[in-house]
Amino acid sequence: MDDPVLLTGAGGRVGRAILAGIGEAYDWRLLDREPLAAERLPAGVTTEDVVVADVTDEEAVRRAVDGVGAVVHLAGDPRPNAPWDSVLANNIDGTRTVLAAAVDAGVDRFVFASSNHAVGAYETEDRTPDMYRKDDEFRLNGSELPRPSNLYGVSKATGETLGRYYHDHHDLSVACVRIGNLTKGHPPREYERGQAMWLSHRDCAHLFDRCLAADYEYEIVYGISDNDRKYYSIERAREALGYDPQDNSAAYTFGGEPKEEAEPDSA
Amino acid sequence: MDDPVLLTGAGGRVGRAILAGIGEAYDWRLLDREPLAAERLPAGVTTEDVVVADVTDEEAVRRAVDGVGAVVHLAGDPRPNAPWDSVLANNIDGTRTVLAAAVDAGVDRFVFASSNHAVGAYETEDRTPDMYRKDDEFRLNGSELPRPSNLYGVSKATGETLGRYYHDHHDLSVACVRIGNLTKGHPPREYERGQAMWLSHRDCAHLFDRCLAADYEYEIVYGISDNDRKYYSIERAREALGYDPQDNSAAYTFGGEPKEEAEPDSA
């Protein structure tokens, strides 16, 4: 990709994982509602490449997408327990604002940070905790209808549907990544569910790299490492995007000694 | 159902079809943003049973759901080309307002008017016009992900997802009816697509009657008559709800003489 890539929500946990892994592989434009510390910017990115704006500010978003070839849209209220008014404005209306501006600017590709919370209610009392364990065969693969855990999850499912609409009606490739449990260093301990949907920082950056490089139309994929425990299939991410994860929560749970504390995230 | 049924958007086309068919079968409370003409009210319904309010008015909605056993939620901007700000406020936020008020009031059942526009982009150039014809076997059955025709369709898909969330987290049965092409009298002429998704007034009233009477958890069904031409399956409506449609657009297209002009609707 020769044109710059706009990364919204660049200062959040997912944005930092992406920039730490592939910060030097693209020409970034970064957007966040808070200023980003200069020492956190990847090599080659200066404060001139940073737009401080809210994604609900249509004019600012239109300026931010001008001239970019792709958008990685992470911005939004990341709290699973966020109230409706916040996810309605920041996540639903905000995502629509970025999508509409992107297609108007002729952007080719839109990568959307969806969430495991879009499908959390598949984790029924009947299925849990068995579904979190290695021998259980239950899998979600991205073709299932949403069953949100919370209103945040509703907003993420709506972002996926908005992406589908803009893909079908405009020349825009859209990848929606239902991000699992992103933690730095090692998977959560004593938390089977988090181990089953663990996404390492390395695999996260690689997955978004593939979303920026692969050829596809519209995809919904799960963003988890290649964990022994899993109830999200990563087959579609492998096939459609060439995702090739290197990490597995089992290596930590049953083996190596963690070097640093997990930094939990529930994007 | 002994408790009253709240019908929102009662003055719209779908509401009028329902009240014309099953207006005397339930104890109705009617809500509309416009006053309803007294002569249009079903027998037994007085202007005291009519609430004139917008579904985005949370206090009015809370008063309207108080004491009802079920809600049939039709209200919203019905225009397929409605602008985003209107469907965001009236259809997405409005539906969430009614759902939240309903669960807080202990309502058991919520019937949601979704739309064919939630899935209109399955009608691709490759599939059309073949999919509109009798011998074509393509079917949507309600388990597929949304592919909206327009932002109105995005709002209807979001209403379905909100219904899923409130069903999964509260004791609320939810039926989402993806309404086809509702016309009074006879199906559209010279419009294959409209004939394939035709819903007669009689079948519409019967389908909503079944949504108020059957036992179910969460359902997405298609609301069309038993047309020879079809690309929406009505099997799930038959199985889950006991839907038994009496009309078929083929009877008009190839047979009987229409008695009155079609009144097109694109709910």
Side-chain angles (χ1 to χ4, degrees), chain A residues 84 93 147 149 164 168-169, chain B residues 84 93 147 164 168-169:
Chain A
W84 172 248
D93 195 27
R147 286 188 68 174
S149 320
R164 180 83 235 189
D168 279 332
H169 298 269
Chain B
W84 172 248
D93 195 28
R147 286 188 68 174
R164 181 83 236 189
D168 279 332
H169 298 270

Side-chain angles (χ1 to χ4, degrees), chain B residues 215-264:
Chain B
D215 282 328
Y216 53 86
E217 296 290 325
Y218 176 85
E219 296 292 338
I220 295 174
V221 299
Y222 284 97
I224 62 170
S225 289
D226 189 15
N227 308 315
D228 285 355
R229 298 172 185 267
K230 63 167 78 75
Y231 53 94
Y232 298 149
S233 171
I234 56 175
E235 289 313 302
R236 188 65 198 162
R238 288 188 190 277
E239 287 167 19
L241 306 175
Y243 178 50
D244 183 24
Q246 301 302 305
D247 291 308
N248 179 345
S249 59
Y252 294 80
T253 315
F254 306 111
E257 196 61 26
K259 292 196 179 63
E260 54 182 315
E261 269 308 299
E263 182 185 14

